[in-house]
């Protein structure tokens, strides 16, 4: 199940640009498919993809939403960042898929705001190693609180319509928190 926890506020005092978020493929593809990928730019300024996530999302993959992700990469607010092959990455690769493992390793290797991830197993592993997490539901709640979305319910319905799995319990909780 995904948490709807709010991401940390923008950067530390005195910083010009907040640290980037790191994204797993699932949330990026989901937000792109429902035409909400730019919420990430407007809320969090910049993001990183590790190479394995980039391979899953690249325009040539033909996956729905890939063109929007390609546009974000071209615009420069979403970038591909290398991941050092160290013991932590090797350990993570034994537990979760390549994209999740590289995304977590990237969070551990450089300053980042949070990991955008919805996969339940991946979230458990990331929590265990101390990585701050946000899911798509959390992004939608922050977007509503900042006035970028009038309501979250239609976006939740759109996500469901494109096959993005959100539990009934999570959807009900998000609607409650959004006063919808």
């Amino acid at each position: 199940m995904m948490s709807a926890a709010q991401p940390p506020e923008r950067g530390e005092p005195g910083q010009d640009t907040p640290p980037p978020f790191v994204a797993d493929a699932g949330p990026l593809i989901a937000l792109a498919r429902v035409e909400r990928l730019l919420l990430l730019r407007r809320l969090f300024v910049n993001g990183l993809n590790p190479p394995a996530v980039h391979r899953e999302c690249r325009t040539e993959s033909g996956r729905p939403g890939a063109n929007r992700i390609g546009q974000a990469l071209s615009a420069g607010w979403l970038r591909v960042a290398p991941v050092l092959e160290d013991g932590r990455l090797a350990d993570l690769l034994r537990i979760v898929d390549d994209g999740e493992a590289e995304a977590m390793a990237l969070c551990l290797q450089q300053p980042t705001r949070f990991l955008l991830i919805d996969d339940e197993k991946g979230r458990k592993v990331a929590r265990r190693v101390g990585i701050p997490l946000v899911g798509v539901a959390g992004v939608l709640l922050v977007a509503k609180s900042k006035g970028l979305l009038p309501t979250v319910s239609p976006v939740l319905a759109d996500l469901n319509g494109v096959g993005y799995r959100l539990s009934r319990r999570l959807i009900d909780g998000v609607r409650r928190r959004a006063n919808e």
Side-chain angles (χ1 to χ4, degrees):
M1 179 177 61
M2 296 179 291
S3 167
Q6 290 201 6
E9 287 298 315
R10 295 181 121 179
E12 297 297 318
Q15 283 185 318
D16 292 334
T17 304
F21 65 90
V22 174
D24 187 31
L28 284 180
I29 293 167
L31 289 169
R33 290 188 70 190
V34 298
E35 302 293 329
R36 299 290 188 229
L37 188 63
L38 285 177
L39 287 175
L40 297 173
R41 167 84 169 119
R42 294 185 68 196
L43 291 168
F44 312 119
V45 183
N46 53 57
L48 300 174
N49 283 345
V53 169
H54 178 64
R55 286 189 297 275
E56 289 182 57
C57 298
R58 71 184 187 281
T59 305
E60 311 82 59
S61 71
R63 284 187 144 168
N67 285 334
R68 292 279 184 236
I69 295 167
Q71 290 169 355
L73 289 162
S74 294
W77 67 265
L78 189 60
R79 295 181 294 113
V80 179
V83 177
L84 300 175
E85 294 189 26
D86 61 11
R88 291 182 292 192
L89 176 58
D91 291 342
L92 291 165
L93 284 167
R94 285 191 279 279
I95 304 168
V96 294
D97 74 28
D98 293 359
E100 293 164 350
E102 285 190 7
M104 288 180 214
L106 190 56
C107 287
L108 294 169
Q109 293 172 3
Q110 64 177 295
T112 57
R113 292 179 69 185
F114 61 86
L115 173 60
L116 178 60
I117 186 171
D118 281 331
D119 176 79
E120 186 176 354
K121 182 178 180 182
R123 290 175 72 89
K124 285 179 185 176
V125 172
R127 273 191 204 100
R128 221 177 6 222
V129 296
I131 298 170
L133 307 173
V134 175
V136 168
V139 170
L140 298 179
L141 286 170
V142 173
K144 182 176 180 185
S145 76
K146 302 286 185 188
L148 299 177
L149 286 177
T151 57
V152 298
S153 293
V155 182
L156 291 169
D158 290 345
L159 287 163
N160 185 56
V162 299
Y164 199 67
R165 294 186 189 123
L166 300 170
S167 74
R168 173 56 42 201
R169 188 171 135 213
L170 175 65
I171 290 170
D172 291 345
V174 169
R175 286 185 175 143
R176 212 173 14 261
R177 288 179 66 185
N179 296 314
E180 295 178 20

